[in-house]
Amino acid sequence: MSCTPSDPLSTDVAVIGGGIIGLGIALEAQRAGHRIMLIDPEPARGATYAAAGMLAPVSELHYQEEDLLTLTLASAARWPGFARALADEGYPDIGFRTTPTLALGANAADRNALAQLREAQAKLGLDVARLSIREARKLEPLLSPDLVAAHLIAEDHQVDPRAVAAAIEARLLAAAQRSGHRADETVVRTRAVELLHENPANTRPRTRGVLLDDGREVHAREVVIANGLGATQLGGLPENLMLPLRPVHGDILRLRVPEHLRELCTATLRGMVRGLPVYLVPRNDGTVVIGATAREDGRDGVNAGAVHQLLRDAQALLPAVAELELLESTARARPGTPDNAPLLGRVEGPDGREMPGLLIATGFFRHGVLLTPIAAHIITELLAGVNDPAWDRFRPDRFSPALQEH
Amino acid sequence: MSCTPSDPLSTDVAVIGGGIIGLGIALEAQRAGHRIMLIDPEPARGATYAAAGMLAPVSELHYQEEDLLTLTLASAARWPGFARALADEGYPDIGFRTTPTLALGANAADRNALAQLREAQAKLGLDVARLSIREARKLEPLLSPDLVAAHLIAEDHQVDPRAVAAAIEARLLAAAQRSGHRADETVVRTRAVELLHENPANTRPRTRGVLLDDGREVHAREVVIANGLGATQLGGLPENLMLPLRPVHGDILRLRVPEHLRELCTATLRGMVRGLPVYLVPRNDGTVVIGATAREDGRDGVNAGAVHQLLRDAQALLPAVAELELLESTARARPGTPDNAPLLGRVEGPDGREMPGLLIATGFFRHGVLLTPIAAHIITELLAGVNDPAWDRFRPDRFSPALQEH
């Protein structure tokens, strides 16, 4: 430890939070020519570490998030290009798969729920094909013959979030190095403690950087808050800005498919099993991800009852799950919001005008992976001064009545 | 790496294998005045790492191992003294608990199985008290009211195998250090490859040491083979000696009891749930161990179907298991033998007489923790030239017809 205060670090854009959202924003900002600095004590070890990586705007409609549909569809449409751009830059291994999703029901009530959902999906012009169980088992021979409903959603794909995060971090570091910047000043593995402002007492303060946990200051032209649930812990947030984030925990399992079951399944399977959702995402590397519960009990550890439920219900879809090797049980909290939509964009300052130098991208709940390309695009456009009013409904200050009064 | 052959290491007793059996033998041998050397690349990371640590000769009778009863009862009787001796030497934290065991049945068939077992136990003079479910729930209020049978076994206790292993290793190293021996020549973290013999071509060879994986030789007056399933991999075993060991995998879970359930249970619970065994062992540190399956599929990883079954059946005993935090899922192979009894003692050499310098202690199957004190005692007696014929039925060469002919 040095006893003399160190020189401040400086960058164009400081991104607080190295989950997939922060990484995606840093990536697009770097491509747009900004020098970036990503600040996170452990990048990609939060909700991103647990995420299954389904890119599923159609099946996710299930959870009463119709408002989000324009955003999720826009982001799903961007994923192929997002993946291709990374591949063109030398990072092809992100597990992007355009295999379809099968929605499955285990009993009559589940079948009714899926039928209602399909009606809603059809009304919105979304492509969902009803299959017989026989047809579904032609596609996926190991599906349980006891299932009673199957829908094919051709456009819901998947990606491997850990692989995406690793690819983006490597890309950020490689590009920074080519520009002569240090790796440890591109991805700064420290906690961000507080926003720094010019004229803090003024009605027109301007964010000018971030104070780090180790006492260093980062000076930045723009600061993006993208650290999920951690956003509310930051000092120096605009007064009266409400970020109504709550932790919604999910338990998720990773399993290995043994050799004799290599053809376990190709599609992503999403089941309703006696009223409870379960999904099963097969990966290119011979593993399978099974999730996910949504708990609001505030407990950080893996819940034994949830693991039991996931294994039970996954076997109801695919009995051969009993043969798999359990590699990992993980629980993480996702940042939920009152309307299940993200908090994304600039915020109003005390004078009722947009606060310069500050952007927010959090509250992505269960859609962080899907929404990464569009969030990165929207934030990078805002950095360039371009504001698409289509996304105003996701402004981060929409739950802050005092600010909305202006 | 040195290019000159290093000097051989030397010791009185070389113990191959640092599971709880090898550690226990090394401990007693050291106490008896022998200089010991324990050889294991990763001590206590095999079956010991998974073991629940039940000291349960009475309830274990369930598994048709009546022949073993004299040995298991003798070892259970030694456990309090074994624990006390470690405590007196400064190692009290081994989780030895004299709380009782409850045997529980979930349906009518399970009740019948338990009743038959109780009859067999009573015939052998073992103390098993039948309880009503109401009485059982007075002892353990969180037991499921749906259970239909409960027996109290006051004498079946428990210990924490990882804590025992850590205590013994620390004790071995401390005593060796006091005698001026190096830690890395007391616990040698390398694989043993081959037994070394004097007069190997002779009808009267004598084991004189062990060749290590790193090329070093260990010279020893006596070599004890205590590396579980690894025993059959050793070079230089006596010709015609059959060690019929097979891997029997067990899956086991470790969970944390949340604050609001601190009084989850006090007794060890052993259930028969629709014909399948499950046990739940509460530890002093606020964790609970749930096991254990017995698989002979040869697969080393944790089996998803087994985890599902364990969580399901543990909840049938104690519904609050659903509230616990899943900390760890582990699978390990135990060394099974044709009669489920250990291979313990000296072996006959080519000339029909006991082979000097060689002892074997493996094949402890699911009884390794329980049998540690008696195995350590028997081997240490043999080192002193004392052979108790009561234990001849567990001789390691009993499955070697060629040797038995002499």
Side-chain angles (χ1 to χ4, degrees):
Chain A
M1 293 236 314
S2 163
C3 292
T4 54
S6 50
D7 289 339
L9 303 169
S10 90
T11 189
D12 296 336
V13 178
V15 180
I16 301 174
I20 196 165
I21 292 288
L23 284 161
I25 290 168
L27 173 69
E28 288 300 337
Q30 192 186 53
R31 284 178 178 151
H34 304 285
R35 179 175 175 191
I36 60 91
M37 184 179 295
L38 190 84
I39 301 165
D40 194 318
E42 279 192 295
R45 289 290 301 194
T48 300
Y49 188 73
M54 287 179 294
L55 308 175
V58 180
S59 13
E60 287 285 343
L61 192 66
H62 186 64
Y63 302 101
Q64 288 123 28
E65 291 151 353
E66 287 90 345
D67 285 354
L68 263 179
L69 190 64
T70 45
L71 193 66
T72 55
L73 285 175
S75 203
R78 284 179 174 273
W79 256 107
F82 192 83
R84 200 163 45 238
L86 275 171
D88 289 347
E89 291 170 337
Y91 304 95
D93 299 325
I94 62 165
F96 180 65
R97 282 171 57 149
T98 56
T99 45
T101 292
L102 277 173
L104 302 163
N107 70 10
D110 300 328
R111 182 174 51 207
N112 289 345
L114 287 181
Q116 281 171 25
L117 173 61
R118 181 164 178 266
E119 215 169 295
Q121 289 161 328
K123 267 187 201 153
L124 292 159
L126 303 172
D127 181 26
V128 178
R130 189 156 47 195
L131 303 184
S132 68
I133 298 304
R134 198 189 162 124
E135 290 166 326
R137 295 187 76 212
K138 258 196 188 151
L139 295 176
E140 299 291 354
L142 298 188
L143 282 181
S144 168
D146 297 337
L147 295 169
V148 300
H151 295 174
L152 181 70
I153 301 142
E155 297 304 315
D156 279 354
H157 304 321
Q158 62 141 308
V159 79
D160 180 345
R162 293 183 189 174
V164 173
I168 295 178
E169 187 177 344
R171 160 67 169 78
L172 293 177
L173 292 171
Q177 194 176 23
R178 281 194 300 273
S179 305
H181 301 309
R182 292 167 49 149
D184 64 357
E185 294 182 0
T186 302
V187 176
V188 180
R189 292 175 186 267
T190 314
R191 202 168 61 88
V193 174
E194 192 178 336
L195 299 178
L196 301 172
H197 302 288
E198 276 165 17
N199 318 317
N202 204 300
T203 57
R204 190 106 201 95
R206 181 194 167 82
T207 304
R208 66 168 177 89
V210 185
L211 176 65
L212 302 182
D213 199 26
D214 58 16
R216 288 183 297 174
E217 289 190 358
V218 175
H219 291 180
R221 208 161 29 77
E222 304 264 9
V223 174
V224 185
I225 299 177
N227 58 341
L229 288 162
T232 56
Q233 310 298 314
L234 273 177
L237 288 173
E239 265 182 72
N240 298 325
L241 175 67
M242 307 284 291
L243 296 177
L245 299 170
R246 71 185 196 286
V248 183
H249 284 82
D251 304 282
I252 193 161
L253 309 176
R254 281 174 166 74
L255 304 97
R256 181 183 292 135
V257 182
E259 277 304 329
H260 72 282
L261 286 174
R262 268 292 169 253
E263 299 304 312
L264 184 74
C265 69
T266 303
T268 291
L269 309 182
R270 298 180 68 109
M272 283 296 285
V273 180
R274 290 174 290 277
L276 294 172
V278 63
Y279 58 72
L280 198 151
V281 184
R283 292 257 195 266
N284 291 334
D285 63 1
T287 64
V288 162
V289 180
I290 295 178
T293 52
R295 294 186 281 114
E296 306 212 15
D297 59 9
R299 291 203 221 137
D300 283 334
V302 175
N303 177 256
V307 172
H308 170 245
Q309 179 223 308
L310 290 174
L311 289 173
R312 181 192 65 199
D313 294 346
Q315 288 178 79
L317 305 183
L318 208 60
V321 163
E323 302 291 309
L324 307 192
E325 177 184 349
L326 181 60
L327 297 176
E328 190 187 307
S329 311
T330 310
R332 287 293 188 277
R334 295 156 292 192
T337 62
D339 58 4
N340 292 345
L343 305 171
L344 183 63
R346 294 197 183 270
V347 297
E348 286 188 5
D351 64 350
R353 286 155 60 197
E354 267 174 7
M355 211 173 134
L358 182 64
L359 295 116
I360 294 185
T362 181
F364 287 84
F365 194 25
R366 58 159 60 83
H367 302 293
V369 178
L370 171 58
L371 292 179
T372 292
I374 194 72
H377 173 73
I378 292 171
I379 294 291
T380 308
E381 289 283 280
L382 289 171
L383 289 172
V386 179
N387 179 40
D388 184 339
W391 312 126
D392 277 353
R393 74 184 91 167
F394 303 116
R395 283 184 66 101
D397 49 14
R398 68 184 182 277
F399 298 104
S400 307
L403 294 178
Q404 296 295 302
E405 279 165 17
H406 291 285
Chain B
M1 294 233 317
S2 165
C3 292
T4 55
S6 49
D7 289 340
L9 303 170
S10 90
T11 189
D12 296 336
V13 179
V15 180
I16 301 174
I20 195 164
I21 292 288
L23 284 161
I25 290 168
L27 173 68
E28 289 300 338
Q30 191 186 55
R31 283 180 179 151
H34 303 286
R35 179 174 174 193
I36 60 90
M37 186 179 293
L38 189 85
I39 302 165
D40 194 318
E42 278 192 296
R45 290 289 300 193
T48 299
Y49 188 72
M54 287 178 293
L55 309 175
V58 180
S59 15
E60 287 285 343
L61 193 66
H62 185 66
Y63 301 102
Q64 288 124 29
E65 290 152 354
E66 287 89 346
D67 285 354
L68 262 180
L69 190 64
T70 44
L71 194 66
T72 56
L73 285 175
S75 204
R78 285 179 173 273
W79 255 107
F82 192 83
R84 202 166 41 240
L86 275 171
D88 289 347
E89 292 171 336
Y91 304 95
D93 299 325
I94 62 164
F96 179 65
R97 281 170 59 148
T98 57
T99 44
T101 292
L102 277 173
L104 303 162
N107 70 10
D110 301 327
R111 183 173 49 204
N112 290 345
L114 286 180
Q116 281 170 27
L117 173 62
R118 181 164 177 266
E119 214 169 295
Q121 289 161 329
K123 267 188 199 152
L124 292 160
L126 302 172
D127 181 27
V128 178
R130 190 157 47 196
L131 303 184
S132 68
I133 298 305
R134 198 192 162 122
E135 289 166 327
R137 296 187 77 214
K138 258 196 191 151
L139 294 176
E140 299 293 352
L142 298 189
L143 283 181
S144 168
D146 297 336
L147 294 169
V148 300
H151 295 174
L152 181 70
I153 300 143
E155 296 304 315
D156 278 356
H157 305 320
Q158 62 141 308
V159 77
D160 180 346
R162 293 182 189 174
V164 174
I168 296 178
E169 187 178 344
R171 160 68 170 75
L172 293 177
L173 292 171
Q177 195 177 23
R178 280 194 300 273
S179 306
H181 302 308
R182 290 167 49 148
D184 63 356
E185 294 182 0
T186 302
V187 177
V188 180
R189 292 175 185 268
T190 313
R191 201 168 61 87
V193 174
E194 193 178 336
L195 300 178
L196 302 172
H197 303 288
E198 276 165 17
N199 317 317
N202 204 301
T203 58
R204 190 108 199 93
R206 181 195 166 81
T207 305
R208 64 167 179 87
V210 186
L211 176 67
L212 302 182
D213 199 26
D214 58 15
R216 288 183 296 174
E217 289 190 359
V218 175
H219 291 181
R221 206 159 33 76
E222 304 263 12
V223 175
V224 185
I225 299 178
N227 58 341
L229 288 162
T232 56
Q233 309 299 313
L234 272 178
L237 288 173
E239 265 182 72
N240 298 325
L241 175 66
M242 306 283 292
L243 296 176
L245 299 170
R246 69 185 197 287
V248 182
H249 284 81
D251 305 283
I252 193 160
L253 311 175
R254 282 174 165 75
L255 304 97
R256 181 181 291 134
V257 182
E259 276 305 328
H260 73 282
L261 286 173
R262 269 290 169 254
E263 299 304 311
L264 183 75
C265 69
T266 303
T268 292
L269 309 181
R270 297 181 69 109
M272 284 295 285
V273 179
R274 289 173 291 278
L276 294 172
V278 65
Y279 58 72
L280 197 151
V281 184
R283 291 255 197 270
N284 291 335
D285 63 0
T287 64
V288 163
V289 179
I290 295 177
T293 52
R295 293 186 282 114
E296 306 213 17
D297 59 7
R299 291 202 221 137
D300 283 332
V302 174
N303 177 256
V307 173
H308 170 245
Q309 178 223 308
L310 291 174
L311 289 173
R312 180 192 66 200
D313 294 347
Q315 288 176 80
L317 305 184
L318 209 59
V321 163
E323 302 291 311
L324 307 191
E325 178 184 349
L326 181 61
L327 297 175
E328 190 186 306
S329 312
T330 310
R332 287 292 187 278
R334 294 155 295 191
T337 62
D339 57 4
N340 292 343
L343 306 171
L344 182 62
R346 293 198 184 270
V347 297
E348 286 188 6
D351 63 353
R353 286 157 59 197
E354 267 176 6
M355 211 175 136
L358 183 63
L359 295 117
I360 294 185
T362 182
F364 288 84
F365 193 25
R366 56 156 64 80
H367 302 293
V369 178
L370 170 58
L371 292 179
T372 291
I374 194 72
H377 173 72
I378 292 171
I379 294 290
T380 308
E381 290 282 280
L382 290 171
L383 289 173
V386 179
N387 180 39
D388 184 339
W391 312 126
D392 276 354
R393 76 184 88 167
F394 303 117
R395 283 183 66 101
D397 48 14
R398 68 183 181 278
F399 298 105
S400 307
L403 294 179
Q404 295 294 304
E405 280 164 20
H406 291 285

